[in-house]
Amino acid sequence: MDPSNMDPSNMDPSNMDPSNMDPSNMDPSNMDPSNMDPSNMEHVEPSLKLSITQLNQECLLHLFSFLDKESRRSLSLTCCRLRDVYLDPCLWTLLQFHSPSELRRANYVLGPSLRRLDITWLSSRVKVCNVEDWLKTQFQKDLCSKHDTLVSKFLERVCSMCPNLQFLTLSGCGHISDQEVTRVLQCCSQLRCLRLENCVRVTDRTLQALVLHGAALHQFTVDFCRNVTQEGLLVVRERRPDIRLSAERSAGMIPDIKPDKKTQRPLRRTLLQKVLMFS
């Protein structure tokens, strides 16, 4: 082979056809999809068709966790597979209720996975519940009778079904007493934070139960509970210094003092005499 034939200077540019390199000479019809023969096109099928019920339990629990209680219940009514996810206790680690009437609804599941429970009632009806029983009118008594045992019965179920509860908030629950709170402290030994706000029937007996049964408790809030005394708070601070205690306005409010019937009778006679005098 003669190396001179490989010399670029010997290559004649005139022998190169520019038309072969001109894009204008390319036929656009060859690039039009409408002119493509369907028979030559490969039909592509989706490799996988997956419905929501084919997801594993962990994925479905994660999807359900973004829904509220009522939406979870509605979705669970569509098929048995989603109903099983709804009934899985692992889904219900947090429960929040904004009125006692919500406790009646069958849109939640109690189980050992429950870690946090909040019952907060900020309605104006709380003022009626906070009135002393001996001062309530018949209308107020009838109003309270519709929900006075709801929270207490619900807490009984929590005590028997949710032993791993760690955070509990009861706000505006004017009908719960020391007995229910003590029961929770005894049954939920892992309780770390207890918040009681505007619970007028809570007294120093709850503070005593806290000292005896709240071994795992680290934070205790008792705000606007008028029947808690300064002496009771002092006992908690002395015997359980490891607990962060908050008691806003509780020991400074006027407690309930049931009037003596013997002292009421002369007063009623005096009022009756005055009415007769001016009539």
Side-chain angles (χ1 to χ4, degrees):
M1 179 180 290
D2 186 4
S4 62
N5 294 333
M6 302 299 297
D7 187 3
S9 62
N10 295 329
M11 298 179 66
D12 186 7
S14 62
N15 294 329
M16 300 179 64
D17 186 6
S19 63
N20 294 333
M21 306 297 294
D22 187 5
S24 62
N25 293 328
M26 300 177 66
D27 186 5
S29 62
N30 295 331
M31 305 299 294
D32 187 2
S34 61
N35 295 329
M36 295 182 180
D37 186 3
S39 60
N40 296 330
M41 299 178 61
E42 183 180 358
H43 184 64
V44 180
E45 287 284 351
S47 58
L48 181 63
K49 292 182 178 180
L50 185 65
S51 67
I52 186 173
T53 55
Q54 293 176 298
L55 296 174
N56 59 30
Q57 187 78 356
E58 184 178 358
C59 291
L60 289 174
L61 287 173
H62 183 67
L63 293 176
F64 266 73
S65 67
F66 292 97
L67 304 177
D68 57 24
K69 298 190 296 294
E70 193 60 37
S71 299
R72 291 176 184 180
R73 179 180 176 275
S74 299
L75 187 58
S76 71
L77 298 177
T78 57
C79 67
C80 296
R81 177 73 179 93
L82 298 181
R83 181 68 177 175
D84 292 338
V85 178
Y86 171 81
L87 295 176
D88 192 334
C90 295
L91 177 64
W92 304 94
T93 59
L94 167 66
L95 281 175
Q96 293 179 322
F97 301 94
H98 301 289
S99 71
S101 61
E102 292 185 10
L103 301 176
R104 290 195 180 102
R105 302 175 186 174
N107 60 358
Y108 59 90
V109 175
L110 291 178
S113 297
L114 184 63
R115 296 295 185 271
R116 178 168 180 172
L117 172 63
D118 296 338
I119 304 177
T120 57
W121 197 22
L122 304 178
S123 171
S124 58
R125 293 187 181 182
V126 176
K127 297 180 180 179
V128 178
C129 299
N130 289 349
V131 176
E132 294 90 329
D133 290 339
W134 54 87
L135 293 179
K136 289 179 181 177
T137 64
Q138 188 59 44
F139 173 75
Q140 291 173 330
K141 291 180 180 179
D142 294 340
L143 188 64
C144 291
S145 64
K146 298 179 181 179
H147 58 263
D148 56 353
T149 60
L150 278 179
V151 179
S152 300
K153 291 180 178 179
F154 178 78
L155 289 178
E156 280 295 326
R157 295 175 56 199
V158 170
C159 291
S160 60
M161 303 176 66
C162 311
N164 300 316
L165 185 67
Q166 297 181 1
F167 302 90
L168 175 62
T169 298
L170 301 174
S171 178
C173 301
H175 294 286
I176 65 166
S177 62
D178 299 317
Q179 181 179 355
E180 288 82 22
V181 181
T182 302
R183 177 75 172 154
V184 171
L185 289 169
Q186 292 174 339
C187 298
C188 303
S189 58
Q190 300 183 30
L191 193 66
R192 299 174 55 190
C193 177
L194 176 61
R195 296 176 58 89
L196 304 176
E197 300 174 353
N198 202 13
C199 299
V200 296
R201 294 191 180 186
V202 171
T203 68
D204 288 352
R205 293 181 180 178
T206 292
L207 304 183
Q208 297 172 3
L210 182 146
V211 173
L212 295 175
H213 308 294
L217 207 63
H218 295 297
Q219 183 175 356
F220 177 56
T221 301
V222 53
D223 293 341
F224 298 95
C225 299
R226 64 174 179 248
N227 289 306
V228 171
T229 66
Q230 191 66 42
E231 290 76 12
L233 296 174
L234 213 64
V235 171
V236 176
R237 290 191 175 98
E238 291 177 353
R239 299 183 61 179
R240 291 297 305 273
D242 56 311
I243 295 179
R244 287 185 297 172
L245 179 61
S246 171
E248 184 179 352
R249 298 287 300 276
S250 289
M253 302 177 72
I254 301 176
D256 297 344
I257 302 176
K258 191 172 183 178
D260 189 2
K261 293 182 179 180
K262 293 181 180 180
T263 60
Q264 281 186 316
R265 289 175 182 174
L267 179 62
R268 290 178 180 175
R269 291 196 190 100
T270 303
L271 291 176
L272 181 59
Q273 291 172 359
K274 290 182 178 181
V275 171
L276 293 176
M277 287 174 59
F278 290 100
S279 60

